Amino acid sequence: MDTNEKIKIVGTNIQEKANLIWNVANSLFGAYKPHEYGLVILPMVVIKRFHDCLLPTREKVLATYEKVKQLAVKDGFLRTASGYRFYNTSQYTFERLKADPANIKINFENYINGFSDNVIDILANMGFFTQIERMADAGVLYQVISDFTADNADMNPEKISAIDMGYVFENLVQRFSESYDEEAGAHFTSRDIIYLMCDLLTMNADFSGEDAPAKTVYDMAMGTSQMLTCMEERVHALDKEAEIICYGQEINPFTFGIAKADMLIRGGDPENMQFGDTLNADKFKGYTFDYIISNPPFGIDWKREAADVEKEHKLGDAGRFGVGLPQKSDGQMLFLLNGIAKLKDTGRMAIIQNGSSLFTGDAGSGPSEIRRYIIENDWLDAIVQLPNDSFYNTGIATYVWIVSKNKPETHRERILLIDASKCCEARRRPIGNKRVDITESCRNLITQAYSEYRSAIFTKTLEDKKTVLTCKSKVLDAISLGYNKITVESPALDDDGNPIVKKGKPVADTSKRDTESVPLDEDVDAYFAREVLPYRPGAWIDKSKTKVGYEIPFTRTFYEYEELEPAADIAKRIAAREKVLMEKLQALFGNGGEQNE
């Protein structure tokens, strides 16, 4: 079975499982408003997943607990018994809870309190203890637990893998967020995009060798941590023995709870999952990583974090944001800077941005200075334009930036732009705004363009003999993205038409002040003499106002001129249309006009 078929089957199973779980909402109807269903469903899924993971070792844990319950330190014994980094010492299971409806609240609380502290912390972050009271008061607690005891709510890891469970979580969070009408692009990155990012990151990487050090990967806006899970999966596909350690931070308490739960179940260190706002509460200060993979929110303002971010900006090189700040309406470039600050000297990052990061901001502005910082340090390796309609919650143009602190020699002082906007296959059934997939064939074509790192057009005809995938690439010299913005002054004239001079220098006429953008690889004075002086005699450059700017002209780079239709042909077409129109008018009104006369 090829990867495409596997993804389709897994995707169907995920959708079906998520549908079954979401149907628990029927039991909440009346007691909860629709936008509140996730407050119960999401933590209940976490609890049931823990429950089903622990069932096989339950008796062993209970026996161990009887032996060690008097000890001051017993976590290690109980974790060993459970086989996980968490455990539950309660006598109850979901089946036993269901068998005693009269005491459902007190028994369920006993079950929850039997969990290890790390699980209780997750549920507390999700505000679940309040929901137990609310469900009990509304008389729906027993029915909800019964719903999760059904066969089709089985979440045994033997039946549903960690990565697939992660996507069930993601699907449920998506539904919850849609009911809140949250910002587009705030949470979700589909598996096809993540796999592309993973392949671009790990291309030519060597994870082999018994003494190979563990590789670290970080997601600064991890959601339910699916990017980290996929990255781990891809690395192990390259080398089963490779060791990879995941780190992530997340601001949403529900998605954070799911991410930490997922880490616990997969056997990782739950302390590597941190809750908080990456921009003003960095939980990984001083850390650097081998890989960073992230889809931070775009189009979201950072006013809430402004005081702390601006304070850190004033620290200069001692902080993450010293180089410059973007406009307050969109904080995505702050995440870009955060990622760069956390890359090892050999590190690589794949981060999603929308189009504004390519060009917003004039020379000297925060966004331009951020681009300048990345480009002049020769860290920007490539940018890939993704197809529109690739995301669940937004159809706008998006880009994957590949940042490398140690570019190959053949990539130095150059940047590869890849237009993969047409490299996709249409979905039979859209999911929200997602109407296309970056299939395995698409992914292979894009990674080929990246690996060859040259200006070219790559195509592939699919098995149906009709669909032709296209991926275009263009290598640019890094210096070609920069420009000097010069201020051109013209002399003020007196009544006789002569330049006004003060202290031996001509006085500028501010009404005639203008600016010119001169490519960075061109001599400013030569440009001025050729392009300005012939048309503005006596003008000069105020060099104190010259600023360096950078922008990435993605659209212009791949623009293809379409020759206009000859004027004579246009005139003929208009005349033919007019003739047809007049004939229709005569047919409609001609006879009526004769009768009126």
Side-chain angles (χ1 to χ4, degrees):
M1 183 185 299
D2 67 20
T3 304
N4 289 347
E5 286 301 315
K6 182 179 178 183
I7 288 176
K8 286 178 183 176
I9 291 171
V10 170
T12 300
N13 292 340
I14 289 168
Q15 188 79 31
E16 289 175 352
K17 179 66 75 173
N19 287 342
L20 289 168
I21 294 168
W22 195 257
N23 282 340
V24 174
N26 293 331
S27 299
L28 299 173
F29 181 76
Y32 284 78
K33 296 176 182 177
H35 73 269
E36 296 177 309
Y37 292 162
L39 299 174
V40 170
I41 292 173
L42 294 176
M44 281 297 296
V45 173
V46 170
I47 292 166
K48 188 56 163 51
R49 176 64 164 176
F50 281 143
H51 173 277
D52 292 352
C53 287
L54 292 174
L55 269 181
T57 58
R58 176 174 172 271
E59 295 301 329
K60 186 176 181 181
V61 169
L62 294 177
T64 302
Y65 180 63
E66 285 303 313
K67 294 177 184 177
V68 303
K69 63 183 179 182
Q70 302 301 328
L71 299 179
V73 179
K74 49 186 173 284
D75 270 18
F77 298 104
L78 294 169
R79 288 177 181 176
T80 300
S82 75
Y84 292 97
R85 297 181 72 115
F86 59 97
Y87 54 85
N88 189 307
T89 58
S90 170
Q91 295 287 334
Y92 288 98
T93 63
F94 267 60
E95 288 289 348
R96 287 194 64 189
L97 290 169
K98 183 182 176 182
D100 187 6
N103 298 296
I104 191 64
K105 180 176 181 288
I106 192 171
N107 291 348
F108 187 53
E109 288 176 334
N110 177 280
Y111 173 72
I112 295 296
N113 289 325
F115 275 116
S116 48
D117 288 346
N118 46 17
V119 174
I120 290 175
D121 285 345
I122 291 171
L123 299 177
N125 265 327
M126 299 176 94
F128 185 63
F129 296 101
T130 302
Q131 304 310 321
I132 296 176
E133 291 286 343
R134 185 173 172 184
M135 284 189 286
D137 290 346
V140 298
L141 179 59
Y142 177 77
Q143 187 56 52
V144 168
I145 290 172
S146 296
D147 290 341
F148 275 96
T149 310
D151 290 343
N152 55 25
D154 187 354
M155 299 175 205
N156 187 311
E158 294 296 320
K159 297 182 179 179
I160 180 166
S161 70
I163 191 166
D164 291 341
M165 192 68 218
Y167 277 96
V168 170
F169 280 134
E170 194 88 336
N171 186 293
L172 294 172
V173 174
Q174 180 187 354
R175 298 181 192 208
F176 186 34
S177 299
E178 284 173 350
S179 70
Y180 264 123
D181 193 24
E182 294 197 18
E183 295 287 349
H187 291 297
F188 308 107
T189 315
S190 61
R191 185 182 299 210
D192 55 334
I193 296 172
I194 298 174
Y195 280 166
L196 172 63
M197 295 170 74
C198 291
D199 286 355
L200 293 170
L201 272 181
T202 57
M203 186 176 293
N204 301 321
D206 184 7
F207 300 99
S208 61
E210 292 183 6
D211 299 324
K215 297 295 183 182
T216 53
V217 57
Y218 163 68
D219 185 347
M220 65 195 87
M222 68 177 172
T224 60
S225 77
Q226 293 316 296
M227 281 193 166
L228 295 172
T229 306
C230 282
M231 186 68 177
E232 189 173 9
E233 177 193 18
R234 294 312 245 186
V235 169
H236 286 151
L238 294 170
D239 185 343
K240 291 181 181 178
E241 305 303 317
E243 184 179 358
I244 186 163
I245 305 172
C246 297
Y247 298 81
Q249 184 162 344
E250 171 58 27
I251 191 174
N252 181 297
F254 284 91
T255 50
F256 167 72
I258 291 167
K260 190 167 182 177
D262 190 46
M263 177 63 78
L264 278 171
I265 291 165
R266 290 190 291 116
D269 186 348
E271 293 306 308
N272 291 354
M273 304 285 102
Q274 289 290 321
F275 177 68
D277 189 325
T278 296
L279 298 184
N280 69 350
D282 178 17
K283 298 301 177 69
F284 295 100
K285 189 174 182 179
Y287 284 65
T288 55
F289 305 97
D290 294 294
Y291 295 102
I292 295 175
I293 182 169
S294 198
N295 177 18
F298 42 77
I300 308 293
D301 72 62
W302 52 279
K303 295 174 184 175
R304 177 180 54 196
E305 301 94 340
D308 293 314
V309 169
E310 288 165 354
K311 183 179 178 181
E312 188 168 350
H313 168 64
K314 292 176 182 176
L315 297 175
D317 293 343
R320 295 169 293 168
F321 312 124
V323 63
L325 300 176
Q327 63 273 31
K328 281 197 174 69
S329 60
D330 190 353
Q332 64 181 317
M333 295 189 85
L334 292 175
F335 287 96
L336 184 62
L337 286 176
N338 174 71
I340 289 170
K342 296 193 180 304
L343 275 182
K344 290 183 178 179
D345 290 342
T346 55
R348 289 168 57 76
M349 173 169 64
I351 185 169
I352 293 175
Q353 303 274 282
N354 70 13
S356 66
S357 296
L358 300 171
F359 55 80
T360 52
D362 203 354
S365 69
S368 179
E369 286 298 289
I370 293 170
R371 289 189 291 270
R372 179 181 183 181
Y373 173 66
I374 300 170
I375 293 169
E376 289 190 352
N377 278 289
D378 203 15
W379 293 333
L380 183 56
D381 194 25
I383 298 178
V384 180
Q385 181 177 356
L386 299 175
N388 286 8
D389 303 321
S390 292
F391 289 83
Y392 300 129
N393 287 10
T394 181
I396 66 173
T398 49
Y399 302 80
V400 177
W401 291 43
I402 303 297
V403 176
S404 176
K405 285 281 186 81
N406 186 26
K407 289 167 67 171
E409 193 66 40
T410 54
H411 297 192
R412 299 282 169 86
E413 298 182 1
R414 302 198 299 167
I415 294 166
L416 179 69
L417 303 184
I418 299 176
D419 179 5
S421 60
K422 306 299 181 187
C423 196
C424 57
E425 295 185 51
R427 293 183 61 87
R428 289 183 180 177
R429 292 178 60 188
I431 304 177
N433 287 312
K434 184 172 177 59
R435 294 177 173 83
V436 299
D437 284 329
I438 302 172
T439 60
E440 186 174 23
S441 295
C442 303
R443 194 166 66 245
N444 290 341
L445 204 61
I446 297 167
T447 53
Q448 180 187 352
Y450 178 54
S451 66
E452 295 191 15
Y453 213 86
R454 61 187 177 91
S455 299
I457 297 176
F458 300 86
T459 60
K460 178 180 177 60
T461 303
L462 299 183
E463 292 180 0
D464 62 9
K465 306 299 182 184
K466 298 177 182 178
T467 307
V468 179
L469 303 177
T470 302
C471 182
K472 302 175 184 178
S473 61
K474 183 76 172 178
V475 176
L476 302 179
D477 291 329
I479 196 173
S480 70
L481 303 178
Y483 61 92
N484 281 300
K485 185 173 183 179
I486 61 172
T487 299
V488 177
E489 301 283 15
S490 297
L493 305 178
D494 60 25
D495 294 339
D496 297 326
N498 297 314
I500 299 173
V501 177
K502 284 187 179 180
K503 296 182 180 181
K505 293 182 178 180
V507 175
D509 183 345
T510 56
S511 68
K512 295 181 180 179
R513 183 174 292 159
D514 200 1
T515 58
E516 292 277 340
S517 294
V518 183
L520 211 57
D521 52 2
E522 187 166 347
D523 181 85
V524 170
D525 293 326
Y527 176 95
F528 182 74
R530 184 183 72 248
E531 300 292 339
V532 179
L533 275 180
Y535 312 102
R536 300 181 65 175
W540 70 92
I541 301 171
D542 183 348
K543 294 193 175 180
S544 69
K545 293 187 174 72
T546 298
K547 294 180 179 178
V548 175
Y550 278 84
E551 65 176 39
I552 302 167
F554 210 103
T555 302
R556 189 167 73 241
T557 297
F558 292 101
Y559 175 75
E560 294 181 1
Y561 173 75
E562 293 184 9
E563 190 171 342
L564 295 175
E565 186 179 359
D569 292 351
I570 295 174
K572 288 179 182 178
R573 187 155 45 79
I574 292 172
R577 293 292 298 272
E578 287 179 342
K579 182 180 179 183
V580 171
L581 182 60
M582 290 304 297
E583 288 173 350
K584 288 181 177 179
L585 288 171
Q586 288 173 359
L588 184 61
F589 297 113
N591 293 336
E594 290 173 3
Q595 289 172 358
N596 289 337
E597 290 176 359

